[in-house]
Amino acid sequence: MTVSKSVLLETLPPDLDCNRLPQHVAVIMDGNGRWAKRQGLPRFMGHRRGVDALKDLLRCCKDWGIPALTAYAFSTENWGRPSEEVEFLMMLFERVLRRELKEMMAENVKIRFVGNLAGLPRSLQEEIARSMEDTKENRGIQFTVATNYGGRQEILQACRAIADRVRQGELQVDAIDETVFEDHLYTAGLTPPDLLIRTSGEMRISNFLLWQMAYAEIYVTQTAWPDFDRPAFHQALADYQQRDRRFGKV
């Protein structure tokens, strides 16, 4: 019987230093459609396989001791895709949430969605609200899903919220610092990512976590997202542990 490489990596590989793992990994899951095209399959099959890759990465982070994972699931710009693909993605998100919630509870996952959630279909909003409410007391891995998310839009809404507090007399201008600003972002309370992984070879961050990525290490791989497995993640972490993170210092 053939044993997959992913199964062989259920525990942290011995060449990785458990004391130098990123505490928060963010992923731009690129290449689902191109993967499907190379396989001679419709694009939606790439998205389905991408869900499986994300589930395994979430479990891998849990198995290897990485406490937070954030996935870029749907950007504000993705509404420009063909309507059939957008409708399929909305349906897929809703179906996966409904199907996986029981397992996330069993594995102590705390799920959080960030973005302009009011712009999503009502039924999906309801599933999102239910999943966040049901898992809010969980103390395992923090799983954040950026949906209908745009980094520029996030910064603008934070500025508007702060300006409104100043106008109402609740906040003094001199009191506005980085902490206050971060408290008004979608990601309030979440530590910034240490490592950003982008699959499928694109060399950009595509309006993702623009404020939060200030000092994230960026790792780009040619691997398409549906093929991003535990060995690929192992390689990304090995590369990360080679970096000298100085945060602007010597």
Side-chain angles (χ1 to χ4, degrees):
M1 181 178 67
T2 300
V3 180
S4 71
K5 292 180 180 178
S6 290
V7 170
L8 296 175
L9 291 174
E10 288 182 348
T11 58
L12 185 70
D15 62 314
L16 295 178
D17 182 351
C18 65
N19 296 312
R20 297 184 58 238
L21 290 172
Q23 296 300 289
H24 182 180
V25 173
V27 289
I28 299 177
M29 306 177 292
D30 201 11
N32 290 337
R34 278 163 283 175
W35 177 90
K37 184 177 180 180
R38 287 197 295 268
Q39 309 294 323
L41 299 171
R43 286 178 61 86
F44 76 86
M45 290 300 295
H47 294 307
R48 282 184 172 170
R49 281 290 297 270
V51 168
D52 292 336
L54 180 58
K55 285 168 55 180
D56 189 54
L57 179 62
L58 179 62
R59 292 191 177 95
C60 184
C61 287
K62 174 177 172 286
D63 291 344
W64 292 3
I66 295 171
L69 173 67
T70 295
Y72 202 7
F74 191 85
S75 76
T76 49
E77 291 75 26
N78 286 156
W79 294 107
R81 293 186 175 189
S83 58
E84 297 84 1
E85 183 174 351
V86 171
E87 289 171 8
F88 174 80
L89 285 169
M90 295 297 116
M91 178 191 68
L92 182 64
F93 296 158
E94 188 174 336
R95 183 181 300 165
V96 168
L97 263 182
R98 191 179 302 119
R99 186 180 66 214
E100 300 294 331
L101 182 57
K102 185 176 180 180
E103 194 162 353
M104 285 192 289
M105 288 296 297
E107 297 191 22
N108 205 26
V109 175
K110 182 176 182 178
I111 191 168
R112 177 179 179 182
F113 285 79
V114 295
N116 178 15
L117 305 182
L120 298 171
R122 175 61 60 183
S123 57
L124 178 55
Q125 290 184 49
E126 291 171 355
E127 288 297 329
I128 286 172
R130 183 166 70 95
S131 67
M132 290 197 294
E133 176 64 24
D134 287 357
T135 66
K136 68 181 182 181
E137 301 300 331
N138 289 352
R139 292 294 178 263
I141 186 170
Q142 170 72 63
F143 181 37
T144 305
V145 185
T147 310
N148 197 22
Y149 174 89
R152 289 179 175 179
Q153 292 82 349
E154 177 183 32
I155 290 170
L156 284 174
Q157 70 83 30
C159 290
R160 293 189 187 109
I162 291 171
D164 187 60
R165 288 190 62 195
V166 171
R167 185 172 59 247
Q168 300 282 345
E170 299 175 5
L171 182 66
Q172 296 298 312
V173 172
D174 290 346
I176 301 171
D177 57 13
E178 289 187 10
T179 300
V180 169
F181 188 78
E182 288 171 354
D183 285 344
H184 289 81
L185 294 173
Y186 295 138
T187 56
L190 189 64
T191 58
D194 300 300
L195 172 64
L196 169 65
I197 298 171
R198 178 156 193 162
T199 58
S200 204
E202 301 291 352
M203 303 289 287
R204 54 181 179 268
I205 60 174
S206 296
N207 201 20
F208 184 41
L209 300 177
L210 298 181
W211 173 276
Q212 300 87 338
M213 291 291 183
Y215 281 101
E217 298 295 327
I218 299 176
Y219 177 84
V220 176
T221 174
Q222 295 297 321
T223 303
W225 178 251
D227 288 331
F228 191 81
D229 54 11
R230 293 191 182 209
F233 189 41
H234 176 198
Q235 186 174 349
L237 294 178
D239 183 271
Y240 171 82
Q241 293 197 343
Q242 302 279 335
R243 309 283 181 93
D244 180 14
R245 305 189 74 204
R246 297 186 298 277
F247 300 97
K249 303 173 184 176
V250 176

